[in-house]
Amino acid sequence: MNIRIKFRKYGAMKFISHLDVMRYFQKAIRRAKIDICFSEGFSPHMIMSFASPLSLGVTSEAEYMDIRVKNASSSGEMRERLNQTMAEGIDVISVRLLPENSKNAMSLVAAADYQLCFRKDAKLADGWEAKFLEFLKSPEIRLIKKTKKGEQEVDIRPWIYQCVVADGIIMLQAAAGSVHNLKPELLIQAFADWAGITLEPFSLLVHRKELYAEIGDGEKKVLIPLEELGEDFGE
Amino acid sequence: MERKLAVKDEILLSVQQPARYIGGEVHAVMKDKEKVNVRFAMCFPDVYEIGMSHLGIQILYDMFNRREDIWCERVYSPWTDMDRVMRAHQIPLFALESQDPIKEFDFLGITIQYEMCYTNILQVLDLAQIPLLATERTLEHPFVIGGGPCAYNPEPLADYFDLFYIGEGETQYFALMDLYIKWKQKKESRETFLKQAAQIPGIYVPSLYDVTYQEDGTIASMRPNCQEAPERVTKQVVMDVTDTFYPKKPVVPFLKATQDRVVLEIQRGCIRGCRFCQAGMLYRPTRERDLSMLKEYALAMLANTGYEEISLSSLSSSDYSKLGELVTFLIEECGKKGINISLPSLRIDAFSLDVMGKVQDIKKSSLTFAPEAGSQRLRDVINKGLTEEVILDGARQAFVGGWNRVKLYFMLGLPTETEEDMRQIAWLAEKIAERYYDVPKEQRHGKCQIVVSTSFFVPKPFTPFQWARMCTKEEFLHRAYVVNHEIKEQKNKKSIKYNWHEADVTVLEGILARGDRRVGKAILKAYEKGCLFDSWSECFQHQLWLEAFEECGLDLAFYTTRERKEDEIFPWDFIEIGVSKKFLLREWKRAQKGEVTPNCKSACAGCGAAVFKGGVCIEHQN
Ligand code: SF4
């Protein structure tokens, strides 16, 4: 059985790195006595993969992890067992059964929703929202992106799918995953450079709200949340 | 309600591994501070990942928190980056669970596991905004209590601690807490509490003792300065190690700690009696935990933590009488759950090779031998009962079984050591390599790899070598040079790799290990100059330490290279560990004659630890 688990990461847990969250779940799965499958070989490891790593300091209400299990009675029961052994700052929201042969979450991620705001003491000049909207109207947003192959100039404008600002909060939907990935921090830095604003380090608060897969036919983009590719089971 | 953090997000994001400072781990204990009588901050004065790996703290943390009226929390040394920010922003050091400042606590307990953490102790006090000197503390401040192996010579730290706990924490801590609760209600002076505490067995209150010195700098006398303090302080031991405290739900860190596994302590003490080994003398008599308890705890701890590995812990696991049964049980239980078993400190023989073949990947693992000295003569001097025959035979069996990596541990600078002894280290490595190439080619796995590591010998209190002279830095390095040179001369030199330890830090360890009260000033001076995390080679600042000793007018040779007279009064003599000074002296003399003393299982050597009414010698009599 392939299972997709959706969880929230908040509070002090935002200081736990992606690598440590993976290690955390390996232990949590043992504590919850989930009947997980292991790889073959002398030192077998759990069959488990994460959709998209979250940077340190970022909170989220839509983290995804796929696991393969030998047995599980129901979504509700598995969620309950996991939640009983969670540390404060991680809650399991849903447990869904995936269809046979479905692709793993990591390869599916195409877009993400973010909620962005500035720390109270970041002291941005009034009217930054209007400036930000103006910035978004640019036909191109070119910047230097560091990649594995070195530095590269890219236009990130096409990666912004939706973006609105209200009450000091930016809601952003942007490309995510292995093809194109727009980190919100990068966009805000580009804005700050454009507007001549100096941002204190770590003044942006990022909260991830959803991760999507693309299920369109190539002409029109159709995004659905990763959890909707699976179904509750056994209830 | 979400737990608040003591440090702002921006700061946490600007330091390495912010998870070191947030607490909230699985099985961390939260209580309502209004509903407890005692708040106890338990500290390991090193970085989180090291401190979290320490079993002793986990045991005491669990023990204290079983009591509803006590809340025990944890604190570690902030790493240098966090240290800087905390000083700059005046953030008082806080406990991980509540994130409250340590200075508001009733007790700060510090476990002192190695000498090179002494400046970190001062850092912890300093960041906590607690006066470094015990004499300057008031009713506003916590009592600072030290424990652990270095508390067996607490004198260099005497100025900085209110009390020391000598021995195993499971026995007297509750008595101390009860006394404290009564004292707090009566609102009496700090001194009153300390005087009462001094009457609890195992509690040492340094301010209640005066030391005088002879002209040559050695101690003339050490006496209590009030009638409440006992002449001698007796170490505390748990005689029943089965029906006692042991955590079934140890705290599981988010970060990968050095000890990233369930640790099952199978016994305390060691029967071997190696003459350099402090642990072997301090933790006598030997006490085994019951097999059924160990089985039960192993399963419970694995289930509660979710660790994927379990490790057996003891000074010499091969001496545990039911080791075979325990290991068979673990292999069966863990095998089906994909849990690894690690078995450190096993003697290499047919049994252990068989077990190791079952629990680890032979191709990736290596064999470990600790002959400690290169020649049989010197091994007799140190009473290490490992013979060349046993080593070579163990290695041969292992090579046939598929291993091709061997690690060898030795000490340089042992008493009576000659150049011949040093060279024999290389020869032994060579003989092992030859054993490997004796195995028919079809049965071997490529080249063999022998790693020889040497550390430099530091004479420790409460060992037969406490009288011994320690080498200078130059003498140490010369020894390493001799070994290195000799290894280069061997036929199979390409299969032998040699590592040696740093000498500067060893000399300092030697000063602190056998230091007296006067050494304390230099520790403070070194700290003030910026010494911190001295056990981390990237942080160790030897020059500053030298300046500190110089400015305090201390003669390093007095503490290191001086051979002590038989009747010298040592700073730690007032502590009663069971093993008598008479026995240690006898062993020191036998060592010089190269006479071995059989292990406690073969014959009782009358070491004195039987006063605790336990151990193999007493079991044999019954
Ligand atoms: S075997 Fe020797 S070195 Fe090891 S713990 Fe026992 S006495 Fe110490």
Side-chain angles (χ1 to χ4, degrees):
Chain A
M1 297 165 84
N2 289 324
I3 304 278
R4 179 157 300 155
I5 292 171
K6 182 181 190 181
F7 62 94
R8 211 192 317 271
K9 190 182 177 202
Y10 60 94
M13 281 305 274
K14 72 176 167 197
F15 298 108
I16 307 298
S17 69
H18 178 63
L19 199 72
D20 290 327
V21 167
M22 293 187 346
R23 294 175 356 94
Y24 166 82
F25 268 106
Q26 284 163 6
K27 296 188 174 75
I29 280 176
R30 285 189 190 277
R31 290 195 298 270
K33 301 201 165 61
I34 307 285
D35 199 2
I36 194 166
C37 300
F38 286 87
S39 65
E40 305 289 321
F42 197 93
S43 49
H45 55 264
M46 292 182 177
I47 305 208
M48 168 193 270
S49 67
F50 285 74
S52 166
L54 203 60
S55 315
L56 218 59
V58 177
T59 54
S60 168
E61 58 196 83
E63 291 306 287
Y64 288 97
M65 159 179 92
D66 291 350
I67 58 173
R68 186 179 305 150
V69 300
K70 287 181 225 135
N71 258 305
S73 66
S74 76
S75 298
E77 199 232 15
M78 193 187 259
R79 191 182 61 225
E80 204 28 54
R81 275 215 241 161
L82 283 165
N83 277 335
Q84 264 171 18
T85 183
M86 289 294 113
E88 181 186 286
I90 291 195
D91 301 331
V92 172
I93 305 167
S94 76
V95 173
R96 296 271 167 93
L97 179 64
L98 297 170
E100 277 300 310
N101 304 323
S102 63
K103 287 204 204 154
N104 72 25
M106 197 194 310
S107 61
L108 285 168
V109 177
D113 281 349
Y114 300 98
Q115 176 184 313
L116 314 173
C117 62
F118 294 97
R119 228 173 267 294
K120 274 192 223 82
D121 46 11
K123 292 189 230 79
L124 259 69
D126 283 347
W128 68 265
E129 287 102 327
K131 267 198 190 157
F132 185 70
L133 288 174
E134 197 190 320
F135 166 71
L136 285 178
K137 288 198 194 108
S138 333
E140 295 194 323
I141 302 175
R142 297 206 153 265
L143 46 86
I144 307 289
K145 215 181 161 199
K146 282 197 199 91
T147 63
K148 281 181 203 119
K149 289 174 220 125
E151 293 189 345
Q152 213 185 346
E153 204 195 48
V154 286
D155 176 14
I156 60 166
R157 187 62 193 85
W159 302 348
I160 304 171
Y161 298 157
Q162 286 181 44
C163 196
V164 291
V165 193
D167 301 328
I169 294 173
I170 302 170
M171 300 297 271
L172 168 72
Q173 187 172 76
S178 48
V179 187
H180 298 301
N181 190 41
L182 176 58
K183 282 198 160 195
E185 296 86 343
L186 210 65
L187 172 68
I188 298 303
Q189 193 53 53
F191 162 62
D193 293 346
W194 175 86
I197 300 172
T198 10
L199 283 177
E200 294 286 316
F202 314 112
S203 50
L204 183 70
L205 290 171
V206 181
H207 176 71
R208 185 142 82 187
K209 290 192 72 82
E210 192 51 270
L211 279 175
Y212 297 95
E214 152 81 282
I215 53 161
D217 51 11
E219 281 180 23
K220 204 171 149 275
K221 196 166 22 244
V222 182
L223 297 174
I224 68 164
L226 286 179
E227 67 177 329
E228 285 177 23
L229 292 169
E231 286 177 346
D232 282 341
F233 64 99
E235 324 221 285
Chain B
M1 211 184 74
E2 253 180 54
R3 239 160 30 95
K4 60 154 182 58
L5 296 180
V7 181
K8 283 202 272 185
D9 285 17
E10 305 87 288
I11 293 180
L12 286 170
L13 288 170
S14 71
V15 299
Q16 290 173 39
Q17 308 285 20
R20 288 167 176 165
Y21 311 107
I22 63 172
E25 305 93 327
V26 170
H27 302 322
V29 177
M30 291 302 292
K31 292 189 181 181
D32 180 348
K33 67 174 178 186
E34 305 302 334
K35 294 198 179 123
V36 296
N37 286 326
V38 183
R39 297 190 71 184
F40 197 111
M42 185 66 85
C43 172
F44 190 110
D46 205 324
V47 75
Y48 177 90
E49 292 90 322
I50 305 274
M52 271 306 288
S53 304
H54 184 246
L55 175 65
I57 285 198
Q58 295 263 16
I59 294 177
L60 296 182
Y61 181 81
D62 174 73
M63 178 188 87
F64 278 127
N65 282 322
R66 286 191 203 187
R67 266 183 64 162
E68 262 175 40
D69 56 346
I70 302 172
W71 185 10
C72 178
E73 305 182 42
R74 293 159 300 141
V75 57
Y76 304 99
S77 279
W79 186 245
T80 51
D81 54 355
M82 188 59 145
D83 175 288
R84 275 192 295 275
V85 189
M86 291 177 75
R87 285 173 206 267
H89 295 257
Q90 299 266 329
I91 302 169
L93 185 64
F94 52 91
L96 293 183
E97 282 78 357
S98 63
Q99 301 272 312
D100 287 337
I102 300 294
K103 60 180 170 186
E104 294 169 9
F105 280 57
D106 299 287
F107 282 93
L108 169 59
I110 302 179
T111 180
I112 319 168
Q113 295 290 320
Y114 29 84
E115 290 81 6
M116 304 318 294
C117 75
Y118 289 0
T119 53
N120 280 56
I121 294 173
L122 298 180
Q123 174 218 28
V124 166
L125 293 171
D126 205 4
L127 290 178
Q129 302 171 0
I130 296 170
L132 300 185
L133 293 174
T135 48
E136 288 174 10
R137 291 178 200 139
T138 67
L139 287 171
E140 309 269 284
H141 301 111
F143 285 103
V144 181
I145 180 164
C150 292
Y152 285 91
N153 177 19
E155 291 301 90
L157 295 168
D159 292 345
Y160 314 114
F161 281 85
D162 298 295
L163 331 88
F164 288 95
Y165 185 119
I166 312 295
E168 296 168 345
E170 293 98 325
T171 50
Q172 296 294 348
Y173 256 126
F174 283 169
L176 186 68
M177 295 300 112
D178 290 335
L179 180 72
Y180 176 80
I181 293 167
K182 273 202 208 111
W183 167 83
K184 202 170 154 186
Q185 283 161 354
K186 289 196 211 135
K187 298 199 171 26
E188 288 169 316
S189 71
R190 264 178 98 87
E191 207 190 336
T192 313
F193 172 70
L194 291 174
K195 284 187 171 169
Q196 288 168 351
Q199 293 165 49
I200 296 179
I203 300 293
Y204 168 54
V205 179
S207 60
L208 303 184
Y209 295 78
D210 293 330
V211 187
T212 58
Y213 300 93
Q214 321 230 22
E215 231 161 77
D216 65 2
T218 58
I219 293 175
S221 74
M222 175 168 176
R223 295 239 165 73
N225 56 28
C226 64
Q227 68 197 39
E228 288 87 350
E231 289 275 338
R232 294 175 68 71
V233 179
T234 305
K235 110 178 152 182
Q236 297 304 298
V237 283
V238 184
M239 286 316 297
D240 182 349
V241 289
T242 295
D243 185 16
T244 179
F245 301 98
Y246 202 78
K248 278 194 178 159
K249 291 184 173 182
V251 179
V252 186
F254 295 119
L255 289 175
K256 194 172 161 73
T258 324
Q259 192 71 266
D260 184 35
R261 51 188 72 84
V262 165
V263 179
L264 193 64
E265 187 192 42
I266 58 177
Q267 61 186 354
R268 291 210 178 142
C270 175
I271 59 167
R272 302 272 142 195
C274 303
R275 292 179 178 132
F276 56 83
C277 177
Q278 192 188 32
M281 297 297 162
L282 291 183
Y283 305 132
R284 285 182 179 207
T286 52
R287 291 145 292 154
E288 294 193 343
R289 293 197 204 270
D290 228 42
L291 181 64
S292 57
M293 173 222 180
L294 293 176
K295 286 180 179 174
E296 180 197 329
Y297 274 72
L299 296 184
M301 290 173 83
L302 285 168
N304 292 334
T305 59
Y307 276 120
E308 41 271 357
E309 185 167 329
I310 182 166
S311 168
L312 300 187
S313 143
S314 80
L315 291 171
S316 165
S317 297
S318 294
D319 292 324
Y320 180 65
S321 62
K322 310 253 169 51
L323 186 69
E325 265 179 82
L326 179 61
V327 170
T328 314
F329 171 82
L330 289 177
I331 290 177
E332 220 165 82
E333 286 297 321
C334 298
K336 50 192 183 210
K337 297 180 197 148
I339 290 166
N340 301 319
I341 304 170
S342 82
L343 303 164
S345 70
L346 275 193
R347 246 194 329 272
I348 305 298
D349 55 21
F351 167 76
S352 61
L353 288 173
D354 176 51
V355 168
M356 281 158 56
K358 283 183 191 144
V359 304
Q360 46 189 241
D361 190 346
I362 294 179
K363 277 184 245 106
K364 291 199 194 111
S365 63
S366 55
L367 298 176
T368 305
F369 293 97
E372 306 294 359
S375 68
Q376 193 56 49
R377 186 198 73 77
L378 195 51
R379 281 195 294 273
D380 288 347
V381 169
I382 63 176
N383 207 39
K384 186 93 210 175
L386 194 58
T387 63
E388 182 168 303
E389 221 183 299
V390 170
I391 296 170
L392 292 180
D393 192 53
R396 187 192 52 81
Q397 289 180 46
F399 293 150
V400 172
W403 273 272
N404 63 352
R405 285 196 243 188
V406 179
K407 285 191 202 151
L408 296 171
Y409 291 98
F410 298 94
M411 270 190 273
L412 290 174
L414 288 162
T416 78
E417 184 181 43
T418 63
E419 292 221 354
E420 168 90 8
D421 297 315
M422 302 166 208
R423 281 196 288 270
Q424 290 218 26
I425 291 177
W427 303 346
L428 182 60
E430 169 65 20
K431 282 182 206 156
I432 293 175
E434 284 168 12
R435 283 295 145 101
Y436 182 76
Y437 295 107
D438 283 348
V439 176
K441 216 172 183 159
E442 321 74 71
Q443 287 173 37
R444 306 201 297 247
H445 295 88
K447 279 205 153 93
C448 79
Q449 221 186 76
I450 297 171
V451 181
V452 174
S453 302
T454 59
S455 61
F456 296 121
F457 168 65
V458 177
K460 293 276 166 114
F462 292 113
T463 65
F465 291 164
Q466 62 182 353
W467 285 272
R469 139 175 223 285
M470 184 175 153
C471 291
T472 61
K473 173 185 172 181
E474 291 69 29
E475 288 168 326
F476 278 140
L477 291 176
H478 170 71
R479 283 160 164 75
Y481 170 81
V482 171
V483 175
N484 197 27
H485 183 80
E486 191 67 18
I487 286 178
K488 296 264 146 58
E489 300 286 303
Q490 303 305 308
K491 195 166 94 232
N492 288 300
K493 57 175 181 275
K494 291 223 172 83
S495 302
I496 308 172
K497 200 173 162 281
Y498 177 46
N499 301 319
W500 63 94
H501 199 252
E502 281 163 62
D504 287 336
V505 76
T506 307
V507 171
L508 178 59
E509 191 187 324
I511 299 167
L512 299 177
R514 291 190 292 175
D516 50 36
R517 280 194 183 190
R518 295 167 297 187
V519 169
K521 307 259 178 311
I523 301 171
L524 178 57
K525 194 108 298 135
Y527 169 71
E528 286 169 350
K529 287 173 179 289
C531 291
L532 197 60
F533 287 104
D534 298 305
S535 62
W536 295 73
S537 54
E538 70 260 44
C539 298
F540 181 59
Q541 303 188 68
H542 185 234
Q543 193 49 39
L544 296 185
W545 271 103
L546 291 183
E547 287 169 26
F549 283 115
E550 166 108 39
E551 285 165 33
C552 293
L554 292 173
D555 172 17
L556 302 194
F558 176 81
Y559 295 99
T560 53
T561 52
R562 182 174 64 89
E563 182 171 329
R564 274 67 163 167
K565 290 208 198 77
E566 282 177 16
D567 60 354
E568 176 166 339
I569 299 175
F570 295 131
W572 52 90
D573 273 354
F574 73 97
I575 295 175
E576 178 63 65
I577 66 156
V579 174
S580 66
K581 195 171 182 183
K582 223 167 69 206
F583 168 77
L584 295 174
L585 187 60
R586 195 156 75 222
E587 282 292 287
W588 173 226
K589 288 181 178 159
R590 288 174 71 90
Q592 284 159 321
K593 287 184 265 169
E595 290 173 4
V596 300
T597 299
N599 74 55
C600 312
K601 226 174 225 168
S602 340
C604 174
C607 73
V611 294
F612 295 108
K613 308 210 166 28
V616 273
C617 51
I618 296 223
E619 285 154 25
H620 276 197
Q621 282 166 22
N622 297 343

